[in-house]
Amino acid sequence: MREIITDLQRWQAQGKKIAVARVVDLEGSGPRLPGASMAVSEDSQVAGSVSGGCVEGAVVVEALEVIATGQPRMVTFGYSDDEALAVGLTCGGTIHLFLEMLDW
Amino acid sequence: MAETPLFDRLATLLSNEEPVALVTVIDGPKTGAKLLVRPLSVTGSDVWEGTLGNEGLDRVAARDARGELAAGRSGVRHYGTHGEAREEEVKVFIESFAPPPQMLIFGAVDFTGALVKVAKVLGFRVTVCDARPVFATHQRFPQADEVVVDWPNRLLEKVGPSLGARDAVCVLTHDNKFDVPAVVAALATEVGYIGVMGSRRTHDNRLQRLTEAGVDQAGLDRLRSPIGLDIGARTPEETAVSIMAEIIALHTGRSMQALSATSGPIHD
């Protein structure tokens, strides 16, 4: 979360609601280690990343739902083959993300 | 009186580059509950901030978090609701924020400025040291965290004990008068990387001087000299990339070859 701290502080100072997604676990080959994080503000600004760009779009959608409901959630992204339209990692790994509001 | 939010405490500790671990319940009765844990060596006693909802759980998680922090690792742990081992009711994520790795650069030369820039991009805390006050100035190395006018061996006597496997010493002076005492002093530390700049000829000559100064073969084998990977670097910036690539690869233990020439997983 270190890399996104200044963005989080700026958004907090602007009074924005924020959701933070963190990689907590990965299986197999993955681009980012546990602790990699990404934040989304209620007005859809984004800071940081949790993969090599494969799942960030889907994380924004999940994060906005976390802001809307106020409820934390775990989200898992696995391998996606080229035929499927589903969001996933092309590298063959699986990442587990924890998403929560920045209200602590 | 309202307590300072944990996030603000975390932000302050991080901006002071202090080691800290953040424990978050990611599955269990108190999902989202948090604990902020600092090393015993810093706090002096077994204290933490926040709670995971149970005292026993806090104690066990704080102990595990300190272990993860010391190892620079982040990951998931499972416990019972009172901190019991081998139970699964509570799943926590321990995120370690180890202080940034340090780089000491000896020699305030042209290559130094470029190396400072690239090392900062990679998250190092960078100190530039040179005995010549005309060259060792903040103005010349605005991105360095510290610019010290002193002899390398004297600086190492002071900060050497804090150096570890993630840290780096780069000797860019290529002048025996400066390099030999700097290398000897760096070898007395646990630093993970010691790179020494110079041509092949300078290197051969320096090996002889170092041997005369009492450095044994094991010590010579620790040196990355001439410094950097063979990528054909010429400019200070290219050389900085060559040096940083070597530092990364030495730390990860990877082959330093082109991925296109190797097979197997890209990430360990």
Side-chain angles (χ1 to χ4, degrees), chain B residues 91-170:
Chain B
K91 203 192 253 187
V92 307
F93 175 57
I94 299 173
E95 182 169 3
S96 292
F97 301 91
Q102 302 182 65
M103 177 182 286
L104 305 184
I105 307 176
F106 294 121
V109 297
D110 265 2
F111 288 91
T112 310
L115 184 56
V116 171
K117 279 188 228 162
V118 182
K120 286 311 292 176
V121 168
L122 291 166
F124 279 77
R125 187 182 188 283
V126 183
T127 302
V128 174
C129 172
D130 195 305
R132 302 163 299 176
V134 189
F135 294 109
T137 64
H138 264 291
Q139 219 163 9
R140 291 189 68 211
F141 309 106
Q143 286 179 286
D145 296 278
E146 214 180 347
V147 178
V148 178
V149 181
D150 205 343
W151 287 79
N153 47 319
R154 293 220 324 216
L155 178 69
L156 277 167
E157 272 170 33
K158 241 186 325 186
V159 304
S162 71
L163 298 176
R166 302 156 66 226
D167 304 318
V169 168
C170 298

Side-chain angles (χ1 to χ4, degrees), chain A residues 16-76:
Chain A
K16 288 177 181 165
K17 288 185 185 166
I18 304 161
V20 177
R22 283 184 284 166
V23 176
V24 297
D25 207 1
L26 69 136
E27 296 153 38
S29 183
R32 303 289 310 267
L33 292 171
S37 60
M38 172 176 157
V40 179
S41 64
E42 60 183 321
D43 54 348
S44 296
Q45 292 191 64
V46 175
S49 79
V50 290
S51 75
C54 314
V55 303
E56 274 72 5
V59 173
V60 172
V61 175
E62 297 281 348
L64 290 173
E65 282 178 33
V66 167
I67 291 174
T69 63
Q71 294 301 309
R73 61 174 70 177
M74 289 285 301
V75 180
T76 296

Side-chain angles (χ1 to χ4, degrees), chain A residues 1-2 5 8-9 12 22-25 29-31 34-35 72 74 98 100 102 104, chain B residues 5-8 10-11 14 22 24-26 31-32 34 74 76 93 95 97-98 267:
Chain A
M1 202 157 30
R2 191 192 289 274
I5 288 275
L8 295 176
Q9 287 177 310
Q12 261 192 342
R22 283 184 284 166
V23 176
V24 297
D25 207 1
S29 183
M74 289 285 301
F98 179 69
E100 64 180 336
L102 181 64
W104 41 276
Chain B
L6 273 193
F7 174 73
D8 295 348
L10 176 67
L14 291 184
L22 177 68
T24 307
V25 177
I26 58 172
T31 300
K34 286 185 174 62
S74 295
V76 173
F93 175 57
E95 182 169 3
F97 301 91
H267 309 288

